[in-house]
Amino acid sequence: MLHPDVVVDSIAEWEDASAATFVPLRCHGRQHGFHAEMSTVVTGSSALSWMVSAPVTVERTEYASRQYVGDDLLLTLQLRAASTVMQDGRTSRISRGRAAAYDPRRPYVLDFPERGQELIVVRVDRRELGLRPNEIDRAMACPLDQRTPGVPALFGLAGVSHASLGLLQHRSRMRSPTS
């Protein structure tokens, strides 16, 4: 069983957790009693974060985007429920088993309107992708599915890493001294 690193019960706490893990964001909750959980594994310059949340809209503002000095891309792998990704005038609905990439150097909105959101967000350095900048730009906020080259491998990696998160945390608890 996966035990999250972060458990929050308010939109403000989710903004803080998101900023600490990814980039500063504005979050808007859709229901009273917001709750979300997240676990992250960092490997070199990449990171993989599993999260579940109540309905929420996440906004990366123009101002925050201009302040960003990183060279990462973010990729959401939708495990349960559905979301919408909006960036650069594109809007894509991402259903279970699909993915979408977005660039934190430019404004975006992620809308998770359904209950029971479960997803994995992969943060990767764009230089490691071996793609030209125009190829990366064309892929932002476009739905990626199992027919898209590389996506099945990402979901496979996410599944393995999702299981690894639970195993690593289980081992950590086993080594912890008990009172």
Side-chain angles (χ1 to χ4, degrees):
M1 168 142 187
L2 184 62
H3 296 280
D5 300 324
V6 175
V7 177
V8 302
D9 292 310
S10 74
I11 290 295
E13 291 175 317
W14 192 236
E15 282 184 352
D16 292 345
S18 296
T21 304
F22 305 111
V23 293
L25 301 166
R26 283 194 189 145
C27 298
H28 311 280
R30 294 183 174 265
Q31 70 182 27
H32 181 69
F34 180 82
H35 181 83
E37 302 177 0
M38 178 172 31
S39 291
T40 300
V41 172
V42 177
T43 57
S45 62
S46 299
L48 188 133
S49 298
W50 163 86
M51 57 188 77
V52 294
S53 80
V56 65
T57 299
V58 175
E59 177 186 7
R60 178 82 168 145
T61 66
E62 178 75 36
Y63 177 79
S65 299
R66 283 193 312 255
Q67 307 305 310
Y68 189 64
V69 295
D71 209 18
D72 298 334
L73 292 174
L74 299 172
L75 177 75
T76 293
L77 308 171
Q78 195 74 38
L79 302 178
R80 277 192 301 143
S83 63
T84 302
V85 176
M86 295 164 266
Q87 187 173 49
D88 295 337
R90 297 183 194 113
T91 300
S92 297
R93 182 168 163 75
I94 310 303
S95 57
R96 182 176 181 243
R98 298 184 113 197
Y102 39 100
D103 186 345
R105 297 183 307 180
R106 298 194 304 274
Y108 61 80
V109 175
L110 309 175
D111 187 29
F112 302 98
E114 301 175 20
R115 289 188 348 218
Q117 289 291 326
E118 182 177 9
L119 53 120
I120 291 181
V121 176
V122 179
R123 186 187 74 224
V124 63
D125 186 317
R126 72 182 65 237
R127 295 171 294 207
E128 293 179 11
L129 297 175
L131 298 171
R132 292 185 300 248
N134 66 332
E135 293 173 315
I136 292 172
D137 290 345
R138 282 196 312 266
M140 296 301 101
C142 292
L144 308 171
D145 62 22
Q146 298 294 326
R147 296 170 295 187
T148 306
V151 170
L154 283 170
F155 273 95
L157 172 66
V160 168
S161 295
H162 186 256
S164 298
L165 282 167
L167 179 61
L168 291 172
Q169 291 170 344
H170 174 73
R171 286 183 180 164
S172 174
R173 282 193 313 280
M174 296 298 288
R175 287 189 292 239
S176 297
T178 55
S179 320

